[in-house]
C-alpha cells in the first residue's frame, strides 16, 4: 500500500510541475477531474476547441459544487445526464438551441411549467412549445397522418416550429396550454438539447430565455439577471442567429400551411412546404 501511495504522489508531483500555472489559477475550484479542466481551458492545454467554447476560468467558477441555482456549465455531452436529472426533478434549465437560448423543463410537470411562466413574467394564456429529440417522436404528441410523406424530415431538425393538432392519442398533459387543441413542436438542429430531450423520455416545454416582451438571448450574458432561477445554465457561446427565433408554421389543415411567425430560414421553410404541394393558407397578422 505504501508503494502505491508513493507512486501516486510522485505522479501527482510530476503533473503539478508540468501544469502548475494552470492549476494555481484553479485554486478554489472544485475537483471535477482532469477532463473537465481540459474543457475549461483550451488555451492552456493545447487548443483545438472552438473559440465560442473557450471557457474562461471565471465563468467555470460560477457556483460550482455549491448546490445553488444558477450553475453555469458548457453545453457538452458530458453534462447531459446532469441536465436530464434536473429536468426529471422538476427543475428549469437554460439551454442553447439552433436559434436562441431557451428555458426548458419537463412538459409533463405542471409545477415546472408554472415556474417558467413565473421566471419570464409571462401570461399563462400564452402557449408554450415543446421540444423532442427526434422527428419520429412528434407523432407521440400530435397528429401527423395528414402530412405529406417526408415533409417533417425535410423541415426538421432545424429552426422551425410546426403547429399540429394534439389529438386524443397525445401523451401530453392536459395542463399544458389548457384550452388549446394544438401544440407547437420543435426539433432543433442542436445536439445538446436533443440529447437531453431523448434522455428525459418525455417532451421539454421550451421558450426563449428572457423576460416576456424583452429582446431574445443569443448568449448567456443576455439573461444573466435570470440565472438564479435556473438549476443550470448551459453555455455554447454566442449563437449566430442574430436574435431571430424559429419560423412558426401551422400545419393543422391537410394540404395547407400558414406562417404564424417569420423567423430563421423562412424562405427555405416555404420552399420545402411548397415542394411538398402544400398551399399557402395566408400569413397570420
Amino acid at each position: 500500500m505504501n508503494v502505491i501511495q508513493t507512486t501516486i504522489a510522485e505522479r501527482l508531483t510530476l503533473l503539478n510541475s508540468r501544469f502548475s500555472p494552470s492549476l494555481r489559477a484553479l485554486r478554489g475550484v472544485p475537483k471535477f477531474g482532469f477532463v473537465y479542466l481540459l474543457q475549461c481551458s483550451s488555451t492552456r492545454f493545447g487548443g483545438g476547441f472552438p473559440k465560442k467554447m473557450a471557457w474562461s476560468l471565471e465563468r467555470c467558477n460560477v457556483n460550482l459544487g455549491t448546490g445553488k441555482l444558477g450553475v453555469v456549465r458548457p453545453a457538452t455531452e458530458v453534462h447531459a445526464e446532469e441536465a436530464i436529472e434536473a429536468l426529471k426533478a422538476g427543475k428549469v434549465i437554460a439551454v442553447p438551441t439552433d436559434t436562441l437560448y431557451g428555458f426548458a423543463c419537463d412538459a409533463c410537470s405542471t409545477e415546472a411549467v408554472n415556474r417558467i411562466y413565473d421566471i419570464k413574467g409571462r401570461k399563462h394564456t400564452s402557449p408554450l412549445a415543446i421540444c423532442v429529440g427526434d422527428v419520429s417522436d412528434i407523432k407521440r404528441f400530435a397528429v401527423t397522418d395528414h402530412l405529406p410523406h417526408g415533409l417533417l424530415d425535410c423541415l426538421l431538425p432545424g429552426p422551425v416550429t410546426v403547429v399540429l393538432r394534439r389529438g386524443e392519442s397525445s401523451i401530453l398533459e392536459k395542463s399544458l396550454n389548457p384550452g388549446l387543441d394544438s401544440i407547437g413542436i420543435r426539433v432543433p438542429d442542436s445536439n445538446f438539447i436533443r440529447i437531453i430531450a431523448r434522455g428525459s423520455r418525455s417532451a421539454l416545454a421550451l421558450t426563449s430565455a428572457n423576460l416576456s416582451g424583452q429582446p431574445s438571448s443569443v448568449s448567456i450574458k443576455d439573461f444573466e439577471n435570470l440565472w438564479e432561477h435556473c438549476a443550470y445554465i448551459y453555455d455554447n457561446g454566442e449563437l449566430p442567429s442574430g436574435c431571430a427565433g424559429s419560423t412558426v408554421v401551422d400545419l393543422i389543415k391537410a394540404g395547407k400551411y400558414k406562417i404564424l411567425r417569420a423567423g430563421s430560414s423562412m424562405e427555405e421553410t416555404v420552399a420545402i412546404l411548397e415542394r411538398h404541394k402544400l398551399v399557402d393558407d395566408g400569413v397570420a397578422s
Side-chain angles (χ1 to χ4, degrees), residues 1 19 62 85 185 225 256 266:
M1 182 64 71
F19 302 108
V62 180
E85 291 305 314
I185 304 178
N225 58 318
K256 297 183 178 181
M266 165 73 172

Side-chain angles (χ1 to χ4, degrees), residues 117-161:
Y117 277 105
D118 290 342
I119 293 171
K120 288 179 63 72
R122 181 180 176 130
K123 295 180 179 179
H124 282 69
T125 52
S126 298
L128 294 179
I130 64 170
C131 167
V132 296
D134 296 285
V135 175
S136 59
D137 294 325
I138 295 176
K139 62 180 178 291
R140 298 170 58 205
F141 304 97
V143 177
T144 62
D145 296 344
H146 63 293
L147 298 176
H149 178 73
L151 173 62
L152 293 179
D153 289 301
C154 289
L155 290 172
L156 304 166
V160 180
T161 300

Side-chain angles (χ1 to χ4, degrees), residues 154-155 159-160 247 263-275:
C154 289
L155 290 172
V160 180
T247 290
S264 297
S265 300
M266 165 73 172
E267 293 181 1
E268 294 90 334
T269 299
V270 170
I272 291 170
L273 295 167
E274 295 184 350
R275 191 162 67 242

Side-chain angles (χ1 to χ4, degrees), residues 128-262:
L128 294 179
I130 64 170
C131 167
V132 296
D134 296 285
V135 175
S136 59
D137 294 325
I138 295 176
K139 62 180 178 291
R140 298 170 58 205
F141 304 97
V143 177
T144 62
D145 296 344
H146 63 293
L147 298 176
H149 178 73
L151 173 62
L152 293 179
D153 289 301
C154 289
L155 290 172
L156 304 166
V160 180
T161 300
V162 294
V163 178
L164 296 164
R165 195 174 308 282
R166 290 197 198 193
E168 294 300 321
S169 62
S170 174
I171 65 173
L172 279 176
E173 294 287 331
K174 300 297 184 183
S175 58
L176 181 68
N177 304 337
L180 291 180
D181 62 356
S182 61
I183 187 69
I185 304 178
R186 288 218 60 200
V187 186
D189 189 12
S190 180
N191 192 45
F192 184 73
I193 192 171
R194 293 182 67 195
I195 289 173
I196 63 177
R198 292 185 195 114
S200 72
R201 300 186 181 277
S202 180
L204 308 183
L206 182 66
T207 184
S208 56
N210 60 323
L211 289 173
S212 186
Q214 297 299 307
S216 300
S217 301
V218 294
S219 78
I220 65 169
K221 288 292 186 182
D222 292 340
F223 61 98
E224 189 172 3
N225 58 318
L226 302 176
W227 287 6
E228 63 181 308
H229 303 294
C230 302
Y232 297 101
I233 299 94
Y234 292 99
D235 188 6
N236 195 35
E238 185 168 329
L239 304 180
S241 68
C243 291
S246 63
T247 290
V248 182
V249 56
D250 183 333
L251 296 177
I252 291 176
K253 294 181 180 179
K256 297 183 178 181
Y257 74 88
K258 180 184 290 186
I259 300 298
L260 302 181
R261 183 183 73 191

